[in-house]
Amino acid sequence: MSTDIPDIVIGRLPIYLRALNQLARQGQEITSSRELGQLLGISSAQIRKDLSHFGGFGKQGTGYHVEILRKKLEQILNVDTEWSIVVVGAGHIGHALAHYGGFVNRGFRVVAVFDNDLDKIGKKIDGFKIQPMEDIDDFIDKHHIKLAMVAVPAEYAQDVANKLIEHGVRGILNYAPITINVPDGIYVQYIDPVAELQHMTFYLSS
Amino acid sequence: MSTDIPDIVIGRLPIYLRALNQLARQGQEITSSRELGQLLGISSAQIRKDLSHFGGFGKQGTGYHVEILRKKLEQILNVDTEWSIVVVGAGHIGHALAHYGGFVNRGFRVVAVFDNDLDKIGKKIDGFKIQPMEDIDDFIDKHHIKLAMVAVPAEYAQDVANKLIEHGVRGILNYAPITINVPDGIYVQYIDPVAELQHMTFYLSS
DNA sequence: TAGATTGTTAATCGATTAACAATC
DNA sequence: TAGATTGTTAATCGATTAACAATC
C-alpha cells in the first residue's frame, strides 16, 4: 500500500487523535477545525488540509463528529487493533515503560521485557518476568512482534536494533541518545529528552 | 537576543551535537558534513547550510574539527553551563527522570522532585527527597528555576504548567499526553511515546 | 600542486495559508 | 433562510538541494 502523503502530515495525525481523545473524554460530540486548531496551536486550514488527504470527514456548517473522526484516525494510523511491543532494557526507563498506563486504549500493549543483566533476569516488573536477551529472537519470531522500544545504553543500541530487525521488527522507538542506522522499510523514532531541552534552551538566555 | 533562524534548524542542532559527542567519545578529531550526514541520514548540504546560520566553523578541504564544533554548538544551544531542572510527578516516569544518567555533560541536572501524594512525599529517589507540591513555588523562586519536566496525570498537566510559569519557569518538557497552552515566550516540548509509535504504525500494515 | 570540502547562491521543491464556492 | 464550516484551489511562503567558487 503506497502513500504520497507527506510524512510531516502523518506526524500530526497522532496529535489530532490525542486532542480528539481529550474532547471525547470530556463528553464533547462535535468539534471544528477552528476549535482543534486553537487547542493545538495549529491553523484551522492546516487541519482541514491534512485530513483532506484521507477523505472528507466533516460536515459543512457543522464541523466534525468527534467520535467518527477519532475512529477514522485510529484506522488510518493502524491503531484500531492493538500492537504488541517488547521492551529491551530493564533499567529505569524500561521499568517506566513496562508500567506506563498511557498505552491502554491507544493501540499498544507491552508484552515482554528483556535484559542481559543476570541480576535482573527473572525479576518481575508489573507482572512481567524480565527475560534474558538470548530468548528475544525466539520470542519475536513466535509472537510476530513488529514493534520494540529500546532502552539500553547507547553503545548497545545499534546491535540491539540489528538483532530486532533481523527477526522481523519493523518499528523501533529508541530511547538511547544515539542515531541508529536501519535498512529501508524500517522505521525509527527517537525519544531524547535532552535534545528537546536543548531545543528550548536555545531560546533562553542563561 | 532575537533570531531569524528557523526553528526547524534549531531542532536539528541537538542532533548534530549528539553525533559529535559520539564521534568525540570514539576519539575522532575531524569530521565532514558528508560524514555527519551519512551518520544522521541528512544531506551534507543541509548540515552546512544549518551551521552557516551561526558562522563558519569548518575548513575547506578538511572539514570540521569535532571538538571545536562541539563546543560551538554547546554555546549556541546555551548548554555550555548547566541548567537546573525540577521534576514534577514522582510516578514511574518521574523516577526514571530522577535517575536518568543522560543529563550529565549534556547541560542539565535534576535538582528536585515534587509530588502531591502523601505516600510519596519524604521518600527518597536517588538521593532526592520527594517534596510536597506546596513547596514548589518557593523552591522555583529561590533557585531561579527555568526548566521543568512534567510527569503528572494528563488532567493535572495544565494546572501544573500554569503554576510553574507563574513562578518563572520558561521551558517545560511535558510527559503528559495532552497539549498544554502557554503564553508567548514560554516553550513546551512533548514526550509522547504513543504518538511516536502511531507515527510508525501508519506505515505498517497490521 | 592536486584533491577535497567548505560556505553560499540560485534553483527547486514542498508545505502552509488565504480565500471561497459548496453545502449542511 | 441565514449562518457557519467544510474541502479544495491557487498563492504565498519557506525549506531543501544542487552547484560551484573559494580555499585549505
Side-chain angles (χ1 to χ4, degrees), chain B residues 89-96 115 120 125 151:
Chain B
H92 290 105
I93 296 174
H95 271 78
D115 202 298
K120 289 176 183 162
I125 305 181

Side-chain angles (χ1 to χ4, degrees), chain A residues 7 77-78 199 201 203-204, chain B residues 7 77-78 199 201 203-204:
Chain A
D7 184 66
L77 291 168
N78 283 318
H199 188 157
T201 52
Y203 296 104
L204 305 180
Chain B
D7 184 67
L77 291 169
N78 283 318
H199 188 157
T201 53
Y203 296 104
L204 305 180

Side-chain angles (χ1 to χ4, degrees), chain A residues 7 14 18 40 76-78 92 99 106 175 177-179 187 189 192-193 196-199 201-204, chain B residues 7 10 14 18 22 40 76-78 92 99 106 175 177 179 189 192-193 196 198-199 201-204:
Chain A
D7 184 66
R18 199 169 66 190
L40 299 173
I76 292 166
L77 291 168
N78 283 318
H92 290 105
H99 282 105
R106 294 180 74 199
Y175 281 78
I178 195 170
T179 300
Y187 302 89
Q189 296 286 338
D192 182 356
E196 308 295 340
L197 289 167
Q198 290 176 339
H199 188 157
T201 52
F202 172 83
Y203 296 104
L204 305 180
Chain B
D7 184 67
I10 307 306
R18 198 169 67 190
Q22 190 186 343
L40 298 174
I76 292 166
L77 291 169
N78 283 318
H92 290 105
H99 282 105
R106 294 180 74 198
Y175 281 77
T179 300
Q189 295 286 337
D192 183 355
E196 308 295 338
Q198 289 175 340
H199 188 157
T201 53
F202 172 83
Y203 296 104
L204 305 180

Side-chain angles (χ1 to χ4, degrees), chain A residues 146-206:
Chain A
K146 296 293 170 211
L147 292 170
M149 299 188 284
V150 173
V152 302
E155 55 267 41
Y156 302 120
Q158 182 69 60
D159 288 345
V160 166
N162 293 348
K163 186 197 266 264
L164 293 169
I165 292 163
E166 204 178 299
H167 288 270
V169 165
R170 304 277 316 280
I172 294 173
L173 189 60
N174 180 26
Y175 281 78
I178 195 170
T179 300
I180 58 183
N181 287 105
V182 299
D184 282 356
I186 307 296
Y187 302 89
V188 185
Q189 296 286 338
Y190 295 86
I191 300 272
D192 182 356
V194 171
E196 308 295 340
L197 289 167
Q198 290 176 339
H199 188 157
M200 295 192 282
T201 52
F202 172 83
Y203 296 104
L204 305 180
S205 32
S206 47

Side-chain angles (χ1 to χ4, degrees), chain B residues 3-204:
Chain B
T3 282
D4 57 353
I5 297 163
D7 184 67
I8 197 161
V9 172
I10 307 306
R12 281 192 292 263
L13 299 183
I15 312 303
Y16 299 163
L17 179 52
R18 198 169 67 190
L20 288 165
N21 280 326
Q22 190 186 343
L23 292 175
R25 239 182 295 122
Q26 295 169 358
Q28 194 169 325
E29 295 191 354
I30 303 287
T31 187
S32 66
S33 59
R34 194 180 45 76
E35 185 181 49
L36 277 173
Q38 279 184 324
L39 217 55
L40 298 174
I42 289 178
S43 80
S44 64
Q46 179 160 84
I47 291 176
R48 292 199 301 282
K49 187 108 218 288
D50 284 353
L51 296 177
S52 76
H53 285 102
F54 305 96
F57 307 131
K59 271 203 184 70
Q60 283 102 326
T62 307
Y64 301 91
H65 191 98
V66 172
E67 194 52 28
I68 290 175
L69 185 54
R70 212 182 63 73
K71 287 270 185 213
K72 207 70 202 169
L73 284 176
E74 283 186 352
Q75 285 167 25
I76 292 166
L77 291 169
N78 283 318
V79 289
D80 49 348
T81 60
E82 206 172 62
W83 294 82
S84 297
I85 319 185
V86 295
V87 173
V88 187
H92 290 105
I93 296 174
H95 271 78
L97 291 173
H99 282 105
Y100 187 51
F103 294 126
V104 175
N105 290 328
R106 294 180 74 198
F108 305 95
R109 177 205 295 265
V110 172
V111 294
V113 180
F114 294 88
D115 202 298
N116 65 3
D117 182 342
L118 293 175
D119 290 345
K120 289 176 183 162
I121 293 166
K123 296 238 168 81
K124 281 212 170 175
I125 305 181
D126 202 31
F128 305 108
K129 197 177 272 184
I130 299 173
Q131 301 182 56
M133 273 307 282
E134 64 208 50
D135 289 356
I136 201 169
D137 305 23
D138 287 349
F139 188 95
I140 291 174
D141 288 340
K142 186 174 165 201
H143 295 91
H144 309 292
I145 302 293
K146 297 293 170 214
L147 292 171
M149 298 188 285
V150 173
V152 302
E155 54 269 40
Y156 302 120
Q158 182 70 62
D159 289 345
V160 166
N162 293 348
K163 187 198 264 266
L164 293 169
I165 292 164
E166 204 178 299
H167 287 270
V169 165
R170 303 277 317 279
I172 294 173
L173 189 60
N174 180 25
Y175 281 77
I178 196 169
T179 300
I180 58 183
N181 286 106
V182 298
D184 282 357
I186 307 295
Y187 302 90
V188 184
Q189 295 286 337
Y190 295 85
I191 300 273
D192 183 355
V194 171
E196 308 295 338
L197 289 167
Q198 289 175 340
H199 188 157
M200 296 192 283
T201 53
F202 172 83
Y203 296 104
L204 305 180

